[in-house]
Amino acid sequence: MPTHYQGNEEERRALDAYIKLARAAESTGQRINGHLHAHGLTVSQFGVLEALYHLGPMPVGQLAGKILRSSANLTLVVDNLAKHGLVTRERRSDDRRCVEIRLTEQGQALIAGMLPDHVAGVEAAFAALSAHEQEMLAALCRKLGLAQEDKTEIGRAHV
């Protein structure tokens, strides 16, 4: 559905692209992440488990950056994962101020068991696009994401 905003051509084009991007992301995300509920996980919880599985233990702030959530939001996510025995918090021996989040054996087993089906779901969702289109989409999304990071950094420099 295109925008009904009555601005200039650049505004309408940008809004139309944004609406399509947001709707596609929401629709695709729902299809891909539908299986998480069966495991009692939210998208954020799955993101934490997946990041720790692939990247290893890390502090909450670094983990928040990896899954694009605020540290405050991630504290609640980690609390809930810890209640279910999927992660632990451990103070680093070399810096007692730093608390790292680690997968437990149960968390490791859960995410390892879930990943093959998750990856298959991602592959199935993206099968609507050719290999070239998937590569093009990935490149465009990266370009858009990096442009926003650059503008954020520029905005901070002017404050």
Side-chain angles (χ1 to χ4, degrees):
M1 173 169 88
T3 181
H4 296 286
Y5 182 73
Q6 298 300 312
N8 64 42
E9 182 181 345
E10 290 82 15
E11 291 170 333
R12 288 192 316 271
R13 183 177 51 245
L15 283 169
D16 185 52
Y18 172 73
I19 290 166
K20 287 181 171 86
L21 175 65
R23 291 174 65 91
E26 184 67 25
S27 172
T28 305
Q30 286 177 2
R31 281 184 306 215
I32 291 170
N33 296 317
H35 68 100
L36 299 182
H37 182 70
H39 296 280
L41 295 174
T42 65
V43 173
S44 293
Q45 289 170 334
F46 179 80
V48 166
L49 295 176
E50 193 263 342
L52 294 173
Y53 182 76
H54 286 105
L55 302 173
M58 65 184 83
V60 171
Q62 184 180 355
L63 190 53
K66 293 290 181 195
I67 68 164
L68 302 177
R69 299 288 188 264
S70 70
S71 292
N73 174 264
L74 205 59
T75 298
L76 179 61
V77 171
V78 169
D79 285 347
N80 288 326
L81 289 170
K83 283 180 194 173
H84 291 97
L86 301 174
V87 300
T88 60
R89 290 181 170 94
E90 295 180 18
R91 290 209 180 273
R92 287 181 40 181
S93 59
D94 62 330
D95 183 353
R96 301 290 298 151
R97 297 168 297 172
C98 184
V99 177
E100 284 188 330
I101 310 305
R102 297 180 173 274
L103 283 177
T104 62
E105 285 185 26
Q106 182 182 349
Q108 179 97 7
L110 177 64
I111 192 67
M114 291 178 70
L115 276 175
D117 287 340
H118 184 75
V119 171
V122 171
E123 185 180 18
F126 279 82
L129 301 176
S130 70
H132 176 72
E133 288 170 330
Q134 289 178 39
E135 291 167 2
M136 198 165 43
L137 176 62
L140 290 170
C141 288
R142 180 170 170 73
K143 182 177 182 178
L144 185 61
L146 290 175
Q148 296 304 356
E149 288 177 13
D150 290 345
K151 287 184 180 185
T152 301
E153 293 302 317
I154 291 168
R156 287 182 189 148
H158 292 294
V159 174

